[in-house]
Amino acid sequence: DTEVTQTPKHLVMGMTNKKSLKCEQHMGHRAMYWYKQKAKKPPELMFVYSYEKLSINESVPSRFSPECPNSSLLNLHLHALQPEDSALYLCASSQDRGLEQYFGPGTRLTVT
Amino acid sequence: GEDVEQSLFLSVREGDSSVINCTYTDSSSTYLYWYKQEPGAGLQLLTYIFSNMDMKQDQRLTVLLNKKDKHLSLRIADTQTGDSAIYFCAERNNTDKLIFGTGTRLQVFP
């Protein structure tokens, strides 16, 4: 199994809603990542978890809150988002931090 | 600083070879990667090369690395319509983060 899965595939939320994005991998990888990708741009790193501990936060606003409940799961909790947060949110994992990363299909988020 | 540049667009005829180029600035990069992204999808890891190598071949893909000029290229032999996508190069920097290039849109026409 070399797959990273993400749910939901699409999400539309209002600015007062609370929602969560989920990511799962069963490759035994110990590093997991959240990226944000705007149209026609490369992915931008948001958070890195290594061995279930947050190791990098790229100065992301607190309305994005990551959580790593166990080594296979990574969540991104969303609250009070802005329309400019609309983007494709990508999860990735790697065997260890710094090794090649495998990406999920992404969640297309629209904030209205 | 870290900067990874790619040309924005490449158009090739089906069956021809495609060459996608990438330049980077961080001389301490240890690994360099090529990812493919189809419309509405995530990134697919195609191949990677360690900085002490100058070439790597994997079926239709050939990666060339010129470390002196900080230039990386991806050659796709016998390009097919299914190869149409955006291709990102990426370097791994000294804090283990991936720095992505701007992306090259490859269009393959019959």
Side-chain angles (χ1 to χ4, degrees), chain A residues 35-92:
Chain A
Y35 288 85
K36 173 183 177 180
Q37 186 181 27
K38 299 285 270 184
K40 301 187 192 307
K41 297 288 187 187
E44 299 170 18
L45 183 65
M46 300 173 72
F47 302 104
V48 181
Y49 273 82
S50 180
Y51 290 83
E52 299 159 52
K53 291 191 177 358
L54 183 65
S55 62
I56 295 179
N57 175 343
E58 290 286 287
S59 303
V60 179
S62 59
R63 58 186 184 268
F64 295 91
S65 174
E67 179 198 18
C68 190
N70 61 55
S71 60
S72 300
L73 291 174
L74 185 66
N75 298 322
L76 186 63
H77 302 298
L78 314 172
H79 174 55
L81 294 194
Q82 305 296 310
E84 59 265 28
D85 297 321
S86 299
L88 182 68
Y89 287 83
L90 294 162
C91 173

Side-chain angles (χ1 to χ4, degrees), chain B residues 8-55:
Chain B
L8 284 179
F9 189 74
L10 176 65
S11 181
V12 300
R13 188 179 300 278
E14 192 174 17
D16 287 352
S17 292
S18 309
V19 179
I20 302 171
N21 294 301
C22 172
T23 56
Y24 60 98
T25 55
D26 186 354
S27 58
S28 67
S29 296
T30 51
Y31 283 90
L32 295 123
Y33 303 86
W34 283 104
Y35 283 89
K36 174 185 179 184
Q37 187 174 33
E38 297 185 58
L43 275 70
Q44 176 192 352
L45 177 63
L46 290 177
T47 188
Y48 59 93
I49 189 167
F50 187 51
S51 58
N52 70 352
M53 298 168 66
D54 50 22
M55 186 182 100

